[in-house]
Amino acid sequence: AAHLSTLQMLYGNIERELRELKPGADTVLHHYVSLLLIEIWRAAAPPVQSSDHPQPHRISDSFLNLVELHLQNHWTVAEYAKRIGVSRDRLNVAVRRSLGVSPHLHLQRRLIEEAKALLVSSNLQVAEIGYKLGFSDAAYFNRFFQRHLDMPPGRFRNAYTPLYRGTDHVISFADWP
C-alpha cells in the first residue's frame, strides 16, 4: 500500500509536469521518472532481512564507497567504522578479508594513487595537489608522498609526466605508427 501511494503520487507529478510544461520541466521529469523507477524496483525487490551483524562483504563495500566519497577528509578508521555502524576491529577484519590489507593502508594507498594521478595529469602545483587531497600543509604532503614512494612529488612528476603534457599537441590514435 505504501509503494502504491508513492507510485500514484509520482505518476500524478509527472502528469502535472507534462501538462504545465514550465521551464526546467525536462529536468524535473527526468528526476521524477528516476524516482518512479526506483520505487518500482523497491516494490519488486524481496524484503531485506535486517541483521544486527552486517555481512563482511557489505562492510567492506560500504567502507570502499565511503573512502571514495571522503578520501580528502582524512577520516580515521574509527570514523569510517562509526559511519558504517560497526566496531573498528570488525571493520579491520572485513577489509583485510576483502582487500588483503588493513583499512589504514588502503586509505594511504588511495591517497597516493590520487596524488600520482594528479601529478601526472594536471598542471596544478604540488602544494595545490596536497591541498586538493585534504592536506592542510604542503610540507606534510611532501613528506607523506616521499615516505610512500621514496621520492618527492616534484621528482615523481618529472619522471612520469607524459612527453606532450602542457603543450597544444594532443596525443590521439592517429599519432600511432
Side-chain angles (χ1 to χ4, degrees), residues 26-69:
D26 54 342
T27 304
V28 173
L29 285 167
H30 173 78
H31 290 290
Y32 275 139
V33 169
S34 295
L35 289 170
L36 183 70
L37 292 172
I38 290 170
E39 193 61 34
I40 291 169
W41 172 71
R42 285 178 177 171
V48 177
Q49 301 280 332
S50 66
S51 172
D52 292 341
H53 304 290
Q55 298 295 322
H57 69 279
R58 292 196 195 281
I59 294 171
S60 60
D61 286 349
S62 296
F63 172 72
L64 293 174
N65 289 334
L66 283 174
V67 167
E68 294 308 311
L69 291 172

Side-chain angles (χ1 to χ4, degrees), residues 112-126 129 132-133 145 153 156-167:
I112 289 295
E113 290 304 314
E114 285 295 314
K116 287 172 19 180
L118 287 169
L119 285 165
V120 172
S121 66
S122 77
N123 289 324
L124 295 172
Q125 295 177 1
V126 172
I129 290 172
K132 185 174 178 72
L133 293 175
F145 193 91
F156 177 87
R157 172 177 266 167
N158 292 337
Y160 293 101
T161 298
L163 182 63
Y164 293 109
R165 191 181 71 99
T167 67

Side-chain angles (χ1 to χ4, degrees), residues 132-143:
K132 185 174 178 72
L133 293 175
F135 290 88
S136 59
D137 181 19
Y140 178 60
F141 171 66
N142 283 333
R143 288 191 306 274

Side-chain angles (χ1 to χ4, degrees), residues 75-88 91 103 107:
W75 285 357
T76 63
V77 173
E79 180 66 24
Y80 282 101
K82 178 182 168 189
R83 298 291 175 118
I84 295 169
V86 296
S87 70
R88 184 173 182 213
L91 176 63
L107 290 167

Side-chain angles (χ1 to χ4, degrees), residues 69-111:
L69 291 172
H70 300 284
L71 185 65
Q72 294 83 5
N73 296 343
H74 294 249
W75 285 357
T76 63
V77 173
E79 180 66 24
Y80 282 101
K82 178 182 168 189
R83 298 291 175 118
I84 295 169
V86 296
S87 70
R88 184 173 182 213
D89 290 338
R90 183 143 167 85
L91 176 63
N92 192 24
V93 168
V95 171
R96 281 185 185 273
R97 281 187 187 160
S98 176
L99 302 178
V101 297
S102 70
H104 182 72
L105 183 57
H106 177 72
L107 290 167
Q108 290 181 337
R109 286 181 177 175
R110 281 293 298 125
L111 276 170

